[in-house]
Amino acid sequence: MDFGFILASAASEIFSPTTAAYAMAALGLAVHFGYSGLLNFGQAGFMAVGAYGFAISTLTFGVPFFVGLLVAVVASAIFALLLGIPTLRLRADYLAIVTIAAAEIVRYIVTTNQLTAVTGSANGLAAFEGGFYAMNPFPEGSYFGMNNRDFFIRVVAWALVALCCTLVWLLMRSPWGRVLKGIREDENAVRSLGKNVYAYKMQALIIGGVLGALAGMVFTLPRGSVQPANYGTELTFFLYTCLLLGGMATVLGPVIGAMIFWVVLSLTQGILYGLIESGAVTWLNTVQAGQLRYILVGVALMLLMIFRPQGVFGNKKELAFA
């Protein structure tokens, strides 16, 4: 078993575009759940709306990259409005059920055979990333062991993560953010002070959804394709794992949580595959090993919730609302 290769592969996940996408989407959940108390289980739907909004506008209408980016953001805001208008007055558990259903509705809509010409149905869409890579300022060559395309997407992805973290940090330190935290703690008390709780919740839902849409774009660009199977309910649960690992009501927590999540997944997969290939483990095959790594992450998350429920960077005071 080549432990050096396993550790190098796991370390490479720290700054991968996928990790950046998970970090942004989990940051959106921090705005929803950590700061606002909105139990949104449909963040995968926001990611799908962003990814498909960008891909469809690029392939069907041939718009430039930044127009496609704007379409993705606007589409996510509209989706948040459609989702929030009838649901934000519901109790937390009902809101969770509705958001799960909404995300699944989005996924089933894009797989409809009648929309194959637009969404690609179950096969998805591909070859829409050309406009993005056309802006690549890095010439051909090797950059820290990566080609110029891989290096470019990493730079853009993590610059976007840094920008989103800064914006959320500024928002949560503003009077608007303090009202949002008050709603999380006791929305009746905030309502008694004359604040429009419904409007604040809607604004938080839109902001977190836009972060999810941006994450959906970053998630698809390195692959060059968008597949509906990637936006199932389990994606939202993985994002909550990242959020809980780092801390629910923190800015950097979701970022660190996403890094830990992907490093642990890569590390456990590498070790299990190495044990299977060396013959040390004969009762597992590679398919079962891929499933077992999620079980191990689940067990680790359970232990984290028992011994440090506030997450790596969280504060126990932030759990008062839960």
Side-chain angles (χ1 to χ4, degrees):
M1 188 187 307
D2 189 350
F3 282 104
F5 176 77
I6 293 173
L7 290 175
S9 298
S12 68
E13 294 293 337
I14 294 176
F15 294 109
S16 72
T18 301
T19 302
Y22 271 58
M24 274 189 288
L27 184 62
L29 283 182
V31 174
H32 288 160
F33 182 58
Y35 289 110
S36 311
L38 299 176
L39 193 55
N40 169 30
F41 277 157
Q43 190 71 337
F46 284 102
M47 292 182 69
V49 167
Y52 273 96
F54 173 73
I56 291 172
S57 61
T58 301
L59 292 175
T60 304
F61 302 103
V63 301
F65 171 79
F66 287 106
V67 176
L69 173 63
L70 180 62
V71 169
V73 170
V74 172
S76 68
I78 293 173
F79 181 60
L81 287 170
L82 294 175
L83 182 61
I85 288 172
T87 63
L88 285 182
R89 291 187 175 90
L90 296 176
R91 231 172 49 197
D93 47 355
Y94 293 122
L95 178 63
I97 294 171
V98 171
T99 51
I100 289 176
E104 286 298 286
I105 288 171
V106 170
R107 191 165 66 89
Y108 282 115
I109 286 175
V110 298
T111 56
T112 304
N113 290 332
Q114 287 77 4
L115 297 176
T116 300
V118 178
T119 65
S121 188
N123 294 323
L125 298 171
F128 51 80
E129 76 281 8
F132 172 75
Y133 286 111
M135 300 183 296
N136 188 354
F138 301 105
E140 292 284 347
S142 177
Y143 300 85
F144 303 100
M146 297 172 281
N147 60 42
N148 63 330
R149 286 168 62 97
D150 290 342
F151 184 68
F152 178 53
I153 183 60
R154 278 172 167 77
V155 170
V156 172
W158 285 102
L160 194 56
V161 170
L163 177 62
C164 291
C165 287
T166 302
L167 290 176
V168 171
W169 181 75
L170 292 173
L171 282 172
M172 295 310 160
R173 286 173 58 89
S174 69
W176 181 86
R178 288 192 286 271
V179 172
L180 210 62
K181 294 174 187 177
I183 292 172
R184 178 196 67 194
E185 301 291 344
D186 189 342
E187 66 177 71
N188 290 325
V190 174
R191 191 177 288 112
S192 69
L193 296 175
K195 300 294 184 181
N196 189 334
V197 170
Y198 180 79
Y200 276 89
K201 284 184 175 182
M202 181 65 75
Q203 293 161 18
L205 184 65
I206 291 173
I207 291 172
V210 168
L211 293 176
L214 294 175
M217 285 184 56
V218 171
F219 187 67
T220 58
L221 283 172
R223 293 168 173 78
S225 66
V226 52
Q227 303 289 334
N230 291 332
Y231 301 97
T233 306
E234 68 276 5
L235 174 58
T236 299
F237 295 150
F238 292 159
L239 296 176
Y240 265 104
T241 300
C242 298
L243 179 65
L244 295 174
L245 281 171
M248 291 182 290
T250 62
V251 174
L252 289 179
V255 179
I256 303 300
M259 291 178 174
I260 295 173
F261 177 77
W262 278 104
V263 167
V264 171
L265 277 184
S266 178
L267 195 61
T268 52
Q269 176 178 285
I271 292 174
L272 289 172
Y273 282 12
L275 291 173
I276 292 170
E277 291 172 0
S278 65
V281 173
T282 58
W283 49 273
L284 275 179
N285 57 40
T286 54
V287 175
Q288 293 169 329
Q291 298 167 343
L292 179 59
R293 64 176 182 157
Y294 287 110
I295 295 175
L296 294 175
V297 170
V299 171
L301 184 62
M302 291 169 60
L303 294 174
L304 180 70
M305 290 295 95
I306 293 171
F307 296 106
R308 191 171 176 81
Q310 70 271 28
V312 176
F313 290 97
N315 190 324
K316 288 186 177 180
K317 294 180 181 179
E318 300 289 357
L319 297 177
F321 75 96

